[in-house]
Amino acid sequence: MSDPITLGIIAANMLAMGAETVLKTSITEAVKDAYKGLKILLARHAPQEVAALEAAPASKGKQLAVAEVIDEKGGADESEIRRLVALLAEAIEKAAQAQPIGIDIGRLEATRVQLGQIEVTNGIGLRAQEIKTEGDFVVNVIKVGQKP
């Protein structure tokens, strides 16, 4: 049986996603503001854990540490945490849709991957949930959109 998904887990995952997203130079102010709001609120309950997660957002252990504290102490702020999580998720989604994407693959299994010229000025070059091949995965040229 799997562990239940708690508000703390959702909040910690969004905080980690926000931390990774904020590191990108082209991110919008809406994402930065939503991330900052969630970080400040969660840090009221778990300051050391939030700081550690911000330093290593991919760490599942640090995400779980934040989640545990939020699930134990975050009851009074539950509705505000939910609101800020939703706000950050929406801001990240909008920012992702606004940016051109060269290749977006959820899972790729191949013997060898070879990528050539990828030029995307508007839209999406290649998006796939899963690509699985016993041979090579080769992209020679992808050009999407027109240069401004």
Side-chain angles (χ1 to χ4, degrees), residues 46-148:
Q48 294 170 338
E49 292 84 352
V50 167
L53 178 58
E54 187 175 34
S59 168
K60 295 296 179 193
K62 292 182 181 4
Q63 290 176 28
L64 285 173
V66 171
E68 285 180 8
V69 173
I70 297 307
D71 288 335
E72 289 174 7
K73 301 179 182 177
D77 291 325
E78 185 174 316
S79 63
E80 184 63 6
I81 292 171
R82 288 182 191 278
R83 185 186 75 76
L84 291 172
V85 163
L87 186 67
L88 179 56
E90 182 181 344
I92 290 172
E93 180 66 25
K94 283 182 179 178
Q97 290 174 356
Q99 299 294 323
I101 298 172
I103 296 180
D104 179 10
I105 301 172
R107 182 179 173 151
L108 171 62
E109 288 184 33
T111 303
R112 185 174 44 183
V113 175
Q114 180 181 347
L115 302 176
Q117 181 183 359
I118 301 168
E119 184 178 312
V120 180
T121 55
N122 188 12
I124 300 168
L126 170 67
R127 176 174 279 158
Q129 294 269 335
E130 182 174 350
I131 296 175
K132 195 175 205 178
T133 180
E134 293 180 11
D136 297 346
F137 176 75
V138 179
V139 174
N140 289 322
V141 178
I142 294 179
K143 290 187 180 186
V144 180
Q146 297 178 351
K147 291 184 180 181

